[in-house]
Amino acid sequence: MIYLDHAATTPVYPEVIEEMMPYFDKKFGNPSGIYEFASENKEKIQRVRNIIAESIDASADEIYFTSGGTESDNWAVRGIAESMKSKGKHIITSAIEHHAILNTCDFLEKHGYEVTYLDVDDTGMISLEQLRKSIRKDTILISIMFANNEIGTIEPIREIGEIAAEHNIYFHTDAVQAYMHVPVNVNDMKIDLMSASSHKFGGPKGVGFLYIRDGINIANLMYGGGQESGKRAGTENVAGIIGMGKAVELAGNSMVRDNIYIRNMREYLYYRITSEIPYVRLNGSRTERLSGNLNISFKYIEGESLLIMLDMEGICASAGSACTAGSKESSYVLKAIGVPEEFAKGSLRITLGTDNTMNDMDIVFEKINYIVNTLREFSDEYVNLRVI
Ligand code: PLP
């Protein structure tokens, strides 16, 4: 199998699994217990809080463990909407956010909030000018993703942070695809809230965190016990948190090296596809892009058929995000960046990781080339082109 869907999820580092294992049997104590067997686990969790805080230039008490990206996004947006409603009910986000943000905004719109969805240009970048113009007296939150999950575009986070700070508006960023793949500094970038998810960087699924800048008043998403300073109730996912901490250490230490390794493979595959297969286009930015992301469209084919045939060859890739996979609709992100329908329906998202090799890229290219050529034989439009 060649796995090319690292934006959907990543394999867990063996060292992470090893680190987690004792917490299922030998060290199973509930961190809230007062005896040493349990309180040791509280200390371990605290250590992870420190590791994460250090990785983004925050302090440990600004890190709140959650069940992952979706919960962190929901909490950030709904929590601020609730706590700030006396100031206003206007939120600014972008048209290409993950559904964890878009559907949360949709929910809020049904409950009296107004949401402005910023457009993006043909590379997926928001306009700072439009952001400035969209700010109102009653704007309480700007939520713009750090990097897009489908096309890999990295947004101008520092500039957005500046604008938000100038206007005294909270800035949340969904950094699920970016954290541990690009450097993040919440102070330099003036980020007030940030979502991250462990399974996108070699950690286990079902665990993540929300960074909340000290002093921000945010309503709870869940009520219950006093865990996470009373802000996020529920017995901690001890093994998951420990695993996430180990993944942060490992991914953080090798981030620069991994990016070079992954980008070289991506560029090689991109070069071979665009130079050897006609009627192809790259979706997203050529430069402001996550290293591992290659989103490419082939005219005269259906992306769905390409994916199925790649799967039969043992190659796992995707058309858009995992969440929209299976729906016949072409991706809302590709629509937002203006990809013509005849290209959008033949799109392929390849997201690389350190478990891939240059040799994989040659195999993948050969398979794609063969399948695209085969599928095009079923397109009257394509066959007619040749006749002419
Ligand atoms: N936000 C973005 C940008 C994502 O790519 C994802 C997952 O694909 C999520 C949020 C949701 O994260 P999780 O799977 O941890 O709930």
Side-chain angles (χ1 to χ4, degrees), residues 54-127:
E54 207 178 302
S55 74
I56 58 172
D57 195 25
S59 60
D61 53 11
E62 296 173 312
I63 306 298
Y64 295 84
F65 296 123
T66 66
S67 65
T70 302
E71 183 188 329
S72 297
D73 283 348
N74 270 263
W75 185 14
V77 177
R78 288 173 67 175
I80 293 297
E82 174 64 26
S83 67
M84 296 296 289
K85 65 184 177 202
S86 60
K87 182 191 168 203
K89 290 189 156 191
H90 179 236
I91 293 167
I92 300 174
T93 186
S94 85
I96 61 165
E97 297 295 311
H98 188 271
H99 278 120
I101 294 289
L102 292 179
N103 289 345
T104 303
C105 287
D106 187 49
F107 166 83
L108 288 173
E109 282 180 298
K110 292 188 178 106
H111 289 81
Y113 288 80
E114 276 182 79
V115 182
T116 299
Y117 298 89
L118 300 179
D119 304 321
V120 289
D121 67 13
D122 59 358
T123 68
M125 207 71 81
I126 67 146
S127 142

Side-chain angles (χ1 to χ4, degrees), residues 7-8 67-70 73 98 100 145 147 149 174 176-177 197 199-200:
S67 65
T70 302
D73 283 348
H98 188 271
M145 70 200 320
N149 44 302
D174 172 346
V176 168
Q177 293 291 337
S197 179
H199 73 105
K200 307 292 186 179

Side-chain angles (χ1 to χ4, degrees), residues 21 53 116 125 140 153 184 209-210 219 281 295 321 358 367:
M21 288 313 277
T116 299
M125 207 71 81
I140 49 171
T153 302
V184 176
F209 67 89
L210 180 65
R281 61 171 276 163
N295 189 315
S321 65
M358 225 20 146
K367 299 288 184 202

